[in-house]
Amino acid sequence: MKNARKTALLLLVAALLILTASACGDKGKKSGELTTVKFSEVIRSIFYAPHYVAMSEGFFKDEGLNVDMNTAQGSDKGAAALIAGTADISLVGPETTIYIFNQKGEKTLKVFHQLTAKDGSFLLSREKLDGFAWSDLSGKTVIGWRPGSAPQMVLNSTLIKEGVKDVNVVTNIASPAMAGAFTSGQGDFIQLFEPVASTLVQGGKAYYVASLGEAYGAFPETSYVATSDYIKKNPDVIQKFASAVARGAAWLNTASDDEIATALSPFFEGTSKELILQSVNRYKSQGTWPTKPELTQDQFDTLQSVLVENGVLKAEDKIANMSDVVDMSFVHKIGKTD
């Protein structure tokens, strides 16, 4: 009898311990435990200001996400990180989804949020020019971006559009070393993103001559991308991520100059608030961040035409069904409640 009572008591204690542990566990999850998203950005640039705002202003955390960010230094590397599983989401050129799809591998990538609607690079000159025409590049050397990258293709397509042929575009300098190569004497012109472009201009090392975004026009340069598998398995994460970034873009349109500079400064150490604001305003003025972050069929057609024009995609390999590499359902749900 005593053994039976002892056994019953032990079972009761064990049950209470299990219930207590379960309650504590539930309480821990409800108290704000965040889902970590491994995120890879293509380069560090104010071109991607809405993303940094979403981080600094806590918009990702409001959605229950912790964004673990690294800088890939190239869309090719950002796409490779997705395929390898070292990144969950990458901010890269949408052309990477087409490249991967046409490789017919085990994994495919999909765009779920279109962050930028224009190219974000600017052309700078070594010498001060009274006026600039694209023909001024004839016979000159331009330090540009790697072959097949969005800024390289936009520059090349702009040169084709302007009828300028004999330009030596250097494409084998790693992006972090481009500004240093220019200031050390290489090249007559250089193609840079903000805030590096304005930093060189302010330092008297270069002169602003043109915006590639304005020169070429509408172009879907940079998108948030994930593998099809990750999107299928984590739709809530993708929705929350897209919503947080959209909130960051909207915030930029209403925040004060001081608020914007304060939000972005931690991501651009050594860059003055004046240059940060100048960079943001330059991107705003050319319509960089669309109100609705959607990759449309027209934009996708423009993208594929540029790829064909630059010889990185055969006409017969163009993707007929955009839905094979694009899923805008999350963008369509931004701001809507169930």
Side-chain angles (χ1 to χ4, degrees), residues 46-96:
I46 290 177
F47 192 40
Y48 312 127
H51 183 92
Y52 309 130
V53 166
M55 293 185 70
S56 64
E57 294 302 300
F59 300 154
F60 283 118
K61 287 188 177 180
D62 288 347
E63 295 286 348
L65 302 179
N66 170 50
V67 177
D68 181 10
M69 182 169 69
N70 70 78
T71 307
Q73 301 296 355
S75 286
D76 54 341
K77 297 179 179 64
L82 293 175
I83 297 299
T86 56
D88 299 319
I89 295 172
S90 287
L91 181 62
V92 293
E95 69 277 359
T96 58

Side-chain angles (χ1 to χ4, degrees), residues 176-192:
M178 288 170 60
F182 186 76
T183 57
S184 68
Q186 295 185 51
D188 305 298
F189 295 83
I190 188 170
Q191 181 187 11
L192 290 173

